[in-house]
Amino acid sequence: MNNDFKKQLISIIGAKNLLLNDWEKKPFSDGWRYGSGTALAVVKPGNLTELWKVLDLCVKNDLIIIMQAANTGLTGGSTPYGSDYDREVIIINTLRIDKIHLLNNGNEILALAGSTLYDLEKKLLPLGREPHSVIGSTSIGASIVGGVCNNSGGSLVKRGPAYTEMSLYAKIDKNGKLLLINDLDIDLGKSPEEILNNLENKCFGKKDLLKSKKVSSNETYEKLVRNVNSTKPARFNSDPKLLYGASGSAGKVAVFAVRLKTYPSAKRNQVFYVGANHPDTFWKIRKDVLKNFKCLPVSGDYMHKDCYDAAKKYSKDTFIVLEKLGTKFLPTLFELKRKVDLLSKNIAILPSNLSDRIMQFLSLFWPNHLPKRIEKFRKRFDHHWIIEMSDEGIDEARDYFKKFFKNSEGDFFECNEKEGKKAILHRFTAASAFGRYSKIHENKIGGQMSMDIAFPRNEKNWFEKLPPDLEDSFELKFYYGHLFCHVLHQNYIIKKGLDPKKIKEKMFEIYDRRGAEYPSEHNVGHEYVAKKDLLNFYKELDPTNTFNSGIGFSSKNKFWK
């Protein structure tokens, strides 16, 4: 690194917040599950003004900028990918900028760049309100801004993907000039420094909140998801209706803050555990609930039996950490894990992915963490659906399931509070099982594929049936997802000796014939090709291709050459 540039960075953020050594950069340059690359440095500004100054310095030095918060993405979209960029790469991590301001008595919030859903949930709890996402992303400590930038957080049936038209972000115009765009509809001043200082310190009042027609939530989603006869998927990342400013930007701008709607907390919640052996049973339930229920479920997450078993065995330690220590411990665990893996890479006698091997071994000594009634359903049923209802929807669901299963195969039971929490946590640790299996058995398999697929809302044959040649290509398949909106996460372990690229192309051909869209909520990252609408949106936001270059298999070169 140029010494003058280094001194300038240190003068802005301090020496301890500039990471230059490989072992320090690893937690930020390696993806949570996928992708890694080289970076000149990791920069950790502590406030919005420092972030602006760092951005300005990076632009003047013609660097590629990768914005990052919690680094919990599943497709490598918040880390470098390889080392074939035409400029040096800087990672700017925003987790130190974690303030959350309440607006309109907590009916809306202003979330700064590195604030997390976990912290927002705690902040809203005394007000009887909750954030857009309270499942999954909250559990792994994901950032609020990250969810908006990737249109993610679609576990909740009534709310859909994270979306807002109200944000504050920096972009670079076609002439290479850094601009601050205030779409918050709050009068914060004129100059960038004034705007950022007033926002950071909440130096504004009700009179500064402008009358606005912009929305701070996905207001049409409930009507959309209820349309079970539509030939189009309910939600997917390249949907032009969800691309606006920071929303869907995937790091092609530097987001300082987003303004989002909050929601009243339910007075009562009840988890129903539903099992069946035939996919048609779930299709009938889905259709009845979405078309006829007065109250939509809070969530409805699916697991196939093979995914259930894999999560039980390979996500056991993740489950226990989240249950016993909570989300706050995850960053410490990830940092320790990456340091152990870096050590194993540098010592020839140690196996690769040492941390995963150690954690998997230790998990064998912990007793079974899953409730007995859920385990009994695993023995009886291939398909598992965890449906959470709230308030008056509880009685509606109870009456429906009692009547439905009198004449249909399958069964259900009502979870007690402990069973409900464990059922939901078991489902949301399933993603880590796929990664763990792949790492432990890396020398015995031919590769892996993680597919994030949105099927048409009228798709009756939602459970995959592959042609024999493809079926024989896989050692294991892990199926899970959000069944009410027909978003499925289909992960595959490929047999040794086969070509993952060719298999992936065949799978995409099948999805295209079925009218599916992909990715649905994990965004393109470095795993999927950005489709035309999405790529044009990226180019409009970032004409110089300075931010997060190369995502969606696009050009890594300046001006998109």
Side-chain angles (χ1 to χ4, degrees):
M1 175 184 282
N2 178 287
N3 202 44
D4 286 341
F5 179 55
K6 179 180 175 181
K7 286 180 179 178
Q8 288 174 299
L9 282 174
I10 290 173
S11 71
I12 298 170
I13 60 168
K16 70 176 182 178
N17 296 308
L18 177 63
L19 310 182
L20 298 171
N21 297 322
D22 285 343
W23 68 272
E24 289 180 311
K25 292 186 287 185
K26 272 288 180 182
F28 306 91
S29 60
D30 285 7
W32 191 61
R33 189 174 77 182
Y34 180 83
S36 64
T38 56
L40 187 64
V42 176
V43 182
K44 302 169 72 178
N47 57 55
L48 297 178
T49 302
E50 286 184 6
L51 174 55
W52 174 259
K53 290 179 179 178
V54 168
L55 287 169
D56 186 50
L57 190 60
C58 289
V59 171
K60 287 175 179 174
N61 281 271
D62 197 24
L63 300 171
I64 287 173
I65 301 165
I66 295 180
M67 301 299 300
Q68 179 192 92
N71 191 17
T72 57
L74 297 179
T75 58
S78 57
T79 60
Y81 188 71
S83 56
D84 56 337
Y85 297 90
D86 67 343
R87 294 148 286 168
E88 294 277 14
V89 175
I90 287 280
I91 298 171
I92 301 178
N93 185 279
T94 61
L95 280 183
R96 293 178 64 218
I97 310 171
D98 59 358
K99 287 183 180 178
I100 300 170
H101 299 318
L102 300 178
L103 299 178
N104 302 321
N105 300 315
N107 289 317
E108 283 187 304
I109 56 104
L110 272 176
L112 301 198
S115 56
T116 66
L117 284 162
Y118 178 79
D119 286 337
L120 177 57
E121 192 173 47
K122 288 197 302 180
K123 196 176 185 76
L124 292 174
L125 188 62
L127 304 176
R129 301 191 71 82
E130 60 186 30
H132 162 265
S133 178
V134 295
I135 297 173
S137 296
T138 312
S139 298
I140 61 172
S143 73
I144 301 166
V145 166
V148 171
C149 289
N150 292 296
N151 291 137
S152 58
S155 301
L156 302 187
V157 181
K158 302 174 189 178
R159 300 177 196 172
Y163 178 77
T164 184
E165 294 170 1
M166 308 172 88
S167 61
L168 179 74
Y169 60 92
K171 65 175 291 184
I172 300 167
D173 70 13
K174 63 182 180 180
N175 299 313
K177 184 179 180 182
L178 185 67
L179 306 173
L180 188 65
I181 310 298
N182 182 5
D183 275 345
L184 290 171
D185 280 355
I186 303 173
D187 186 358
L188 295 167
K190 300 298 181 185
S191 70
E193 291 77 10
E194 183 184 11
I195 290 170
L196 296 173
N197 181 68
N198 286 336
L199 175 58
E200 181 101 35
N201 298 298
K202 205 180 180 183
C203 296
F204 56 89
K206 285 186 178 180
K207 62 179 176 56
D208 299 309
L209 302 182
L210 309 177
K211 288 185 178 180
S212 178
K213 293 183 179 179
K214 295 176 187 171
V215 298
S216 56
S217 67
N218 194 346
E219 295 183 343
T220 62
Y221 187 72
E222 181 170 340
K223 181 179 179 181
L224 188 120
V225 78
R226 281 185 180 274
N227 184 4
V228 293
N229 296 317
S230 173
T231 58
K232 301 290 184 183
R235 58 186 176 94
F236 50 97
N237 284 126
S238 60
D239 186 349
K241 296 190 296 293
L242 297 177
L243 304 177
Y244 187 105
S247 294
S249 62
K252 297 304 291 182
V253 294
V255 182
F256 288 79
V258 292
R259 183 174 170 179
L260 290 167
K261 182 180 177 180
T262 68
Y263 300 82
S265 301
K267 294 181 177 65
R268 295 183 301 140
N269 287 82
Q270 176 62 55
V271 173
F272 294 87
Y273 201 96
V274 185
N277 285 312
H278 301 295
D280 276 1
T281 302
F282 282 3
W283 177 78
K284 291 172 186 174
I285 293 172
R286 173 183 175 271
K287 193 172 182 180
D288 287 345
V289 170
L290 293 178
K291 281 188 72 175
N292 303 324
F293 270 36
K294 179 182 176 183
C295 303
L296 284 181
V298 174
S299 62
D301 279 276
Y302 165 77
M303 292 180 79
H304 182 257
K305 64 175 183 178
D306 294 341
C307 186
Y308 180 109
D309 293 344
K312 179 182 175 182
K313 182 175 181 179
Y314 294 102
S315 294
K316 189 176 183 180
D317 54 302
T318 306
F319 182 106
I320 292 163
V321 166
L322 287 171
E323 184 187 34
K324 304 297 182 184
L325 301 176
T327 303
K328 279 292 184 183
F329 183 70
L330 278 185
T332 305
L333 178 66
F334 290 154
E335 186 174 354
L336 179 62
K337 182 180 182 300
R338 282 162 171 150
K339 285 179 180 178
V340 171
D341 288 339
L342 186 63
L343 180 69
S344 68
K345 283 182 180 179
N346 293 326
I347 300 176
I349 60 170
L350 293 177
S352 60
N353 301 310
L354 180 61
S355 65
D356 283 283
R357 298 175 190 277
I358 292 172
M359 292 167 74
Q360 185 61 35
F361 176 73
L362 293 175
S363 73
L364 299 175
F365 297 95
W366 197 271
N368 187 1
H369 55 295
L370 297 178
K372 291 180 180 178
R373 286 204 292 176
I374 294 176
E375 288 281 72
K376 285 181 179 178
F377 260 50
R378 164 59 191 93
K379 291 177 182 177
R380 293 174 61 193
F381 301 115
D382 290 353
H383 303 284
H384 299 247
W385 202 357
I386 304 155
I387 300 175
E388 184 175 6
M389 303 297 298
S390 63
D391 298 331
E392 60 266 32
I394 297 172
D395 291 336
E396 188 177 18
R398 181 183 294 124
D399 292 343
Y400 170 79
F401 286 133
K402 284 179 179 178
K403 291 175 183 176
F404 181 85
F405 285 113
K406 280 183 179 179
N407 302 307
S408 299
E409 72 92 21
D411 202 355
F412 83 103
F413 69 88
E414 295 184 40
C415 296
N416 60 37
E417 186 178 356
K418 186 176 181 180
E419 288 172 331
K421 287 181 178 178
K422 285 187 174 242
I424 290 170
L425 187 55
H426 181 53
R427 156 63 187 87
F428 279 98
T429 57
S432 63
F434 173 62
R436 171 67 57 79
Y437 184 94
S438 300
K439 288 176 180 178
I440 289 178
H441 300 284
E442 62 179 344
N443 296 323
K444 299 177 182 178
I445 65 175
Q448 57 174 334
M449 296 189 313
S450 60
M451 299 295 204
D452 173 33
I453 310 297
F455 290 105
R457 280 164 276 172
N458 70 339
E459 174 63 86
K460 182 178 179 180
N461 300 313
W462 60 272
F463 187 71
E464 186 168 74
K465 291 182 180 178
L466 293 171
D469 62 320
L470 271 175
E471 184 70 43
D472 195 47
S473 302
F474 302 121
E475 183 176 305
L476 280 175
K477 298 176 295 182
F478 302 153
Y479 293 150
Y480 56 97
H482 316 298
L483 206 52
F484 283 113
C485 57
H486 259 22
V487 165
L488 287 170
H489 306 309
Q490 303 186 160
N491 297 339
Y492 307 87
I493 302 295
I494 299 167
K495 289 181 179 178
K496 198 172 182 65
L498 301 180
D499 185 343
K501 187 177 179 181
K502 289 182 179 178
I503 294 171
K504 199 169 190 176
E505 288 171 355
K506 289 181 181 179
M507 296 296 287
F508 283 147
E509 287 174 7
I510 292 173
Y511 298 145
D512 290 341
R513 287 199 298 269
R514 295 177 66 186
E517 291 280 356
Y518 47 86
S520 55
E521 64 171 342
H522 294 162
N523 222 329
V524 289
H526 294 284
E527 274 205 289
Y528 299 87
V529 173
K531 294 185 177 179
K532 186 178 179 181
D533 287 333
L534 193 59
L535 186 59
N536 287 340
F537 179 61
Y538 292 160
K539 289 181 176 181
E540 182 183 339
L541 287 176
D542 185 21
T544 65
N545 200 20
T546 295
F547 288 106
N548 214 6
S549 308
I551 57 166
F553 291 98
S554 61
S555 171
K556 291 182 176 179
N557 298 330
K558 195 168 184 178
F559 296 113
W560 301 88
K561 291 180 180 177

